[in-house]
């Protein structure tokens, strides 16, 4: 098992502290620049009980994202969203009391160079970054650069990884482990994938870092079921579908409050 305090930065300390009280962790996602006042969604997420917030930096070829996130990225880019503008928006925000974790593709990291990219994240108040198309065995360079800038590089673990390779992910990942519930792209689904329980069990055998389950978490029942296996959930497509349909910050706060309640109820049941 990995040393639980090894290289624990702000994201991991925050999530670990909340998890260790028995709380189920909730990390909603929003595509940066999706609407003129998009940072109001971040305030609503925090008010609804989010434990961390994922901010997507839109990319023109989001290969791991399903239709909803693709549409959100396209809408944000059409509005003129860019990494620089999104980070400028974040720089002007007050502290929300929860860590912000950026997510994007490696092309955007390489555009200005890893050092400049990570430094810009830090100046904007971001504490972690997810790069879904970065293979674990190629992550060392970015991990070192990110760590030097005070940014935790979060790696993904999928059901397709054999156990020896899966065991590498917690050793290299920082902040938390992003467990991908099924092979495929992001998106809402009717049921939690059967592979989710097995995957989180395999991860928890080799690490004590927080494990958040994503890809397909769409309803309170799914969040409740996911909490039985993982430390918490990442909710992306279900949030962005509501935003694309015209839902405002208050609508999203109400939706996330139902997930927060489901996670809390599961924690109470398991005590």
């Amino acid at each position: 098992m990995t040393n639980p305090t090894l290289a624990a930065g702000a994201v991991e300390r925050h999530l670990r502290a909340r998890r260790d009280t028995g709380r189920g962790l909730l990390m909603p996602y929003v595509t940066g620049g999706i609407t003129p006042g998009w940072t109001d969604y971040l305030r609503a997420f925090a008010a609804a009980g989010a434990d961390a917030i994922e901010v997507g930096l839109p990319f023109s070829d989001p290969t791991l994202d399903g239709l909803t996130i693709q549409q959100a990225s396209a809408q944000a880019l059409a509005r003129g969203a860019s990494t620089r503008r999104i980070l400028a928006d974040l720089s002007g925000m007050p502290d929300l009391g929860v860590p912000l974790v950026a997510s994007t593709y490696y092309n955007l990291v390489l555009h200005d160079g890893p050092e400049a990219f990570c430094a810009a994240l830090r100046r904007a108040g971001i504490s972690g970054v997810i790069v879904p198309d970065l293979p674990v065995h190629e992550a060392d360079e970015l991990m070192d650069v990110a760590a030097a800038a005070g940014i935790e590089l979060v790696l993904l673990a999928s059901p397709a990884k054999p156990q020896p390779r899966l065991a590498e992910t917690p050793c290299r990942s920082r902040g938390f482990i992003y467990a991908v519930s099924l092979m495929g792209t992001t998106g809402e689904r009717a049921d939690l994938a059967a592979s989710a329980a097995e995957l989180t069990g395999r991860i928890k055998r080799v690490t004590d870092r927080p494990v958040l389950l994503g890809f397909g978490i769409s309803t309170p029942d799914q969040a409740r079921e996911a909490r039985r296996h993982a430390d918490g959930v990442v909710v992306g497509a279900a949030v962005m579908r509501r935003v694309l349909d015209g839902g405002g910050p208050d609508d999203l706060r109400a939706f996330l409050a139902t997930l927060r309640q489901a996670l809390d109820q599961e924690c109470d049941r398991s005590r």
Side-chain angles (χ1 to χ4, degrees), residues 127-260:
S127 302
V129 64
I130 302 166
V131 185
D133 60 339
L134 178 63
V136 172
H137 61 278
E138 297 178 11
D140 286 348
E141 178 184 2
L142 181 56
M143 184 177 301
D144 291 342
V145 170
I151 301 293
E152 293 165 82
L153 176 61
V154 179
L155 299 178
L156 275 65
S158 73
K161 285 187 179 180
Q163 190 63 25
R165 179 58 61 84
L166 184 70
E168 294 180 27
T169 303
C171 295
R172 296 169 181 252
S173 186
R174 296 294 180 262
F176 60 93
I177 314 301
Y178 191 140
V180 178
S181 65
L182 77 172
M183 297 305 297
T185 58
T186 62
E188 296 176 88
R189 290 172 172 84
D191 301 294
L192 187 67
S195 55
E198 179 187 4
L199 174 63
T200 52
R202 292 169 62 201
I203 296 170
K204 283 180 168 292
R205 285 198 292 272
V206 296
T207 188
D208 187 45
R209 279 201 170 93
V211 179
L212 301 186
L213 188 64
F215 281 44
I217 310 296
S218 309
T219 68
D221 284 344
Q222 290 171 353
R224 190 179 294 110
E225 182 180 356
R227 178 65 183 92
R228 294 169 191 158
H229 311 295
D231 297 309
V233 297
V234 182
V235 185
V239 170
M240 295 316 300
R241 178 175 59 79
R242 288 168 170 80
V243 174
L244 290 169
D245 288 345
D250 288 344
D251 300 308
L252 271 298
R253 180 171 55 192
F255 167 63
L256 290 174
T258 67
L259 302 183
R260 176 76 269 158

Side-chain angles (χ1 to χ4, degrees), residues 15 18-26 51 220 223-233 259-271:
L15 295 181
R18 291 197 171 193
R19 179 201 65 182
D20 290 350
T21 67
R23 180 182 176 93
L25 304 174
L26 174 63
D51 300 287
R224 190 179 294 110
E225 182 180 356
R227 178 65 183 92
R228 294 169 191 158
H229 311 295
D231 297 309
V233 297
L259 302 183
R260 176 76 269 158
Q261 183 179 27
L263 291 168
D264 292 344
Q265 288 173 343
E266 179 57 29
C267 290
D268 291 341
R269 187 197 66 81
S270 61
R271 286 174 180 165

